[in-house]
Amino acid sequence: MADTDLPVTTEQQADATILRPGGEIDLGRAPSLRAKLSEVLRRKPPRLVVDLSAVAYMDSSCVATLIEALQLARKQQTTFVLCGLQPRVRSIFEIARLQTVFRIEPDLSAALAGSPPP
Amino acid sequence: MTRPATPPDLRLEMLSQPRFLTAARAMVGQLAQRLGFNEKQAGLISLAIDEALCNVINHGYQRRPDGPIVLNLWAVDPASGGPGLRVLIEDRARAVDPCTIRSRNLDEIRPGGLGVHIIREVMDEVTYEKREGGGMRLLLYKRVPSGDAGGKE
């Protein structure tokens, strides 16, 4: 794996596609996340959940990538949800005053609430 | 604000490549905790330094991978002797008028442009200067909060 590759898995649960990146997402790895988000959004899922519970760190380049994905998701009526933010990750959303712009849920089950059963 | 007269306590020279950011963050964050900042504050300080370095890589060197960046740290403020972390980041990249380096309006929800806002929000002092001979200098300071009174978290 190149040092710019982001460890990320995807999973389907009912109408939701769940994307689980891991590790540190900074300027070097944000493009890898952007590519993965674009790939998933191209399929126009009804709901995209980005589970950030395994993300130990992110900087503003990752936040920018998530804003871009949110805007694309809104255009195509994909519900875009973030969940599992660690305190260090949550603080960047607070500083950037984005905690109300995104739908942020404490964990995956809350993020999937309202989805039809599998 | 000018460059501190005393040599830095700790110095990291890196190339303008994003893969080295993780080492800079670890160094700053761990030193900050050792100096008395709590875990959250130390995390925010390392985020601010990361954002400053990203700006040098992205805007200064415009993603050129061979630009030198020097990160200098002082474990106390060399000017006042006060407890805190003094940081000086120097590069040889494109120099810009410091007055043009501003935070963006956060009411605009758009990708990009958050780095300067984060730096100013986290650090107590932020000064951009053009370096003699080319490049930019960014001088930052964060004082260790005393008790509950604390500074910015």
Side-chain angles (χ1 to χ4, degrees), chain B residues 87-145:
Chain B
V87 182
L88 172 66
I89 297 171
E90 293 184 299
D91 63 62
R92 295 191 175 279
R94 193 171 58 99
V96 296
D97 180 352
C99 301
T100 63
I101 304 171
R102 291 195 216 104
S103 306
R104 80 158 159 85
N105 180 359
L106 293 187
D107 293 333
E108 299 166 24
I109 307 302
R110 61 171 173 84
L114 287 171
V116 174
H117 168 76
I118 290 170
I119 296 164
R120 292 195 188 280
E121 192 76 11
V122 171
M123 304 303 285
D124 294 322
E125 293 175 23
V126 179
T127 308
Y128 288 93
E129 295 172 346
K130 283 186 184 178
R131 291 178 71 229
E132 315 76 29
M136 294 296 289
R137 169 184 297 135
L138 172 58
L139 201 51
L140 305 162
Y141 181 61
K142 178 79 177 173
R143 75 185 61 84
V144 178

Side-chain angles (χ1 to χ4, degrees), chain A residues 3 24 59-60 71 88 95, chain B residues 22 25 46 51 109 117:
Chain A
D3 58 32
E24 298 186 318
D59 68 10
S60 69
Q71 290 176 333
R88 196 170 174 191
I95 292 175
Chain B
T22 187
R25 286 196 299 271
S46 61
E51 296 293 344
I109 307 302
H117 168 76

